[in-house]
Amino acid sequence: MKQCTDQQFDASEYVPAFLGTFDRVAGNANFHGLKPLPQMLSIGDFSNELLELMFPGRCGRDQANLSLKEILTVQMNKVCSLLKGQLFLAYRYDAPSLEECAAIQKADTTIRTLCSLLPQLRVSLKMDARAAFEGDPAAKNLREVILSYPCIKTLTIHRFAHELFKMEVPLLPRMMNEFAHKETGIDIHPGAQIGNSFFIDHGTGTVIGETSVIGNNVKLYQGVTLGALSFPKDACGALIRGTKRHPTIEDNVTIYSNATILGDITIGKNAVIGSNVWIKESVPADTMVVIQEPEITFRDLKMRRN
């Protein structure tokens, strides 16, 4: 029987053609030679520790020997340390000429600003959890909501990412929300403005675009899209970024599953949007929008057995 020898594969002959794709044609998608980037794994660690800071004990750690003040001090230092490292990398990546000391100072300033916002952010999250409990008859208690509901995890991450987004922190806000998207199936751009007592029931497949504005006491179900109808371009054909192109949802609105709401339109206060509708124009306050019920046909299958 002829023996087979396993030769070491040499990829060098394939490298030149592949190397040719790393030119600057059709955009620079290269990271080679740049300063180290923030890492999604570290963003995930930071996001999980952030959840523990907002709701101490959520991760099931034994902290019986510590006071709440001690727990918060330890956890806040852990969160800030993780964030500072990623902020430093983000600032240095965004501005390669930025000196190391200047990047550290920017990171410190950002962290101090964020820490000053912690009280109001936690109050908002408590209101979100309360809205979820009061809006879902299947919820047994508030702790169950905080421990298990995907909307609480998403909103905890989003509310912090949104503050970083407003501070024009590069990279991190979007990475945080993409981590939340992967974890929960809920996709919220960090630029979206969300009021108090917000609840996404189930949540899977929900999409909320960058310039969406959501008022207080709004409830969404799974699969809702708050999207853009079109993308304006300049004279050269490039997308114009930063314009308002997503819906405004006013207070006390309920939007049922798989509704699609597109464009810079307004859904007025107290409106109810039914499942599976497709809306491209504003809806007045105190209005219900539903699609006509399809005709349902029943067929007797017993005849098949004869």
Side-chain angles (χ1 to χ4, degrees):
M1 182 175 178
K2 186 177 180 181
Q3 289 189 337
C4 175
T5 58
D6 184 12
Q7 296 182 343
Q8 182 68 36
F9 175 71
D10 182 5
S12 59
E13 65 178 288
Y14 299 94
V15 170
F18 186 54
L19 185 63
T21 69
F22 285 78
D23 57 25
R24 297 181 183 272
V25 177
N28 182 12
N30 304 335
F31 298 98
H32 174 259
L34 300 178
K35 295 187 182 299
L37 285 160
Q39 296 297 306
M40 188 62 81
L41 184 62
S42 298
I43 295 298
D45 290 340
F46 160 71
S47 298
N48 285 324
E49 294 298 341
L50 184 60
L51 278 157
E52 180 66 15
L53 175 62
M54 290 294 100
F55 305 105
R58 183 184 183 278
C59 295
R61 296 171 184 168
D62 184 7
Q63 300 171 322
N65 296 326
L66 297 175
S67 68
L68 181 57
K69 183 178 180 180
E70 290 171 328
I71 291 169
L72 293 178
T73 300
V74 169
Q75 193 62 26
M76 196 176 297
N77 283 328
K78 182 182 292 186
V79 165
C80 290
S81 177
L82 289 170
L83 178 58
K84 183 175 180 178
Q86 297 305 299
L87 283 168
F88 174 79
L89 294 175
Y91 284 134
R92 291 271 278 170
Y93 167 80
D94 190 58
S97 61
L98 189 66
E99 295 292 334
E100 184 173 323
C101 286
I104 291 173
Q105 289 175 354
K106 285 190 72 172
D108 282 338
T109 299
T110 301
I111 286 172
R112 291 180 185 278
T113 301
L114 197 57
C115 284
S116 70
L117 297 172
L118 286 176
Q120 71 183 61
L121 289 172
R122 186 165 192 274
V123 169
S124 291
L125 290 168
K126 287 170 65 178
M127 295 173 72
D128 295 332
R130 174 59 63 180
F133 174 67
E134 293 178 350
D136 184 4
K140 297 296 188 293
N141 52 60
L142 201 58
R143 290 190 178 95
E144 180 184 72
V145 169
I146 293 169
L147 282 171
S148 61
Y149 279 39
C151 66
I152 300 302
K153 186 169 195 174
T154 292
L155 289 174
T156 300
I157 296 170
H158 171 77
R159 291 195 183 279
F160 279 83
H162 181 64
E163 296 301 328
L164 294 176
F165 180 87
K166 290 195 296 184
M167 289 184 252
E168 299 184 345
V169 172
L171 299 178
L172 299 192
R174 194 61 186 269
M175 293 176 74
M176 289 175 65
N177 278 124
E178 285 304 320
F179 171 77
H181 182 198
K182 176 177 72 74
E183 291 282 300
T184 67
I186 300 169
D187 184 4
I188 309 176
H189 191 283
Q193 301 176 46
I194 298 177
N196 291 322
S197 301
F198 181 55
F199 177 36
I200 307 175
D201 200 354
H202 304 294
T204 305
T206 298
V207 177
I208 301 175
E210 177 190 11
T211 62
S212 299
V213 178
I214 297 174
N216 299 321
N217 304 307
V218 170
K219 182 178 181 179
L220 309 184
Y221 284 80
Q222 70 273 16
V224 168
T225 296
L226 305 182
L229 183 60
S230 60
F231 302 100
K233 298 182 179 181
D234 62 20
C236 298
L239 289 176
I240 300 174
R241 303 178 189 276
T243 58
K244 181 77 166 71
R245 60 192 185 278
H246 298 96
T248 295
I249 311 298
E250 295 187 342
D251 297 347
N252 308 314
V253 170
T254 299
I255 305 176
Y256 285 94
S257 58
N258 299 312
T260 299
I261 303 173
L262 302 178
D264 181 16
I265 61 176
T266 298
I267 307 300
K269 292 181 180 181
N270 309 310
V272 175
I273 308 300
S275 297
N276 300 309
V277 300
W278 180 286
I279 298 177
K280 299 187 292 182
E281 57 188 52
S282 293
V283 173
D286 303 298
T287 301
M288 177 180 284
V289 180
V290 295
I291 58 174
Q292 202 169 28
E293 293 216 17
E295 182 180 351
I296 300 176
T297 302
F298 293 88
R299 184 178 176 185
D300 187 354
L301 297 181
K302 288 184 291 186
M303 299 296 294
R304 290 183 175 181
R305 297 196 292 268
N306 296 331

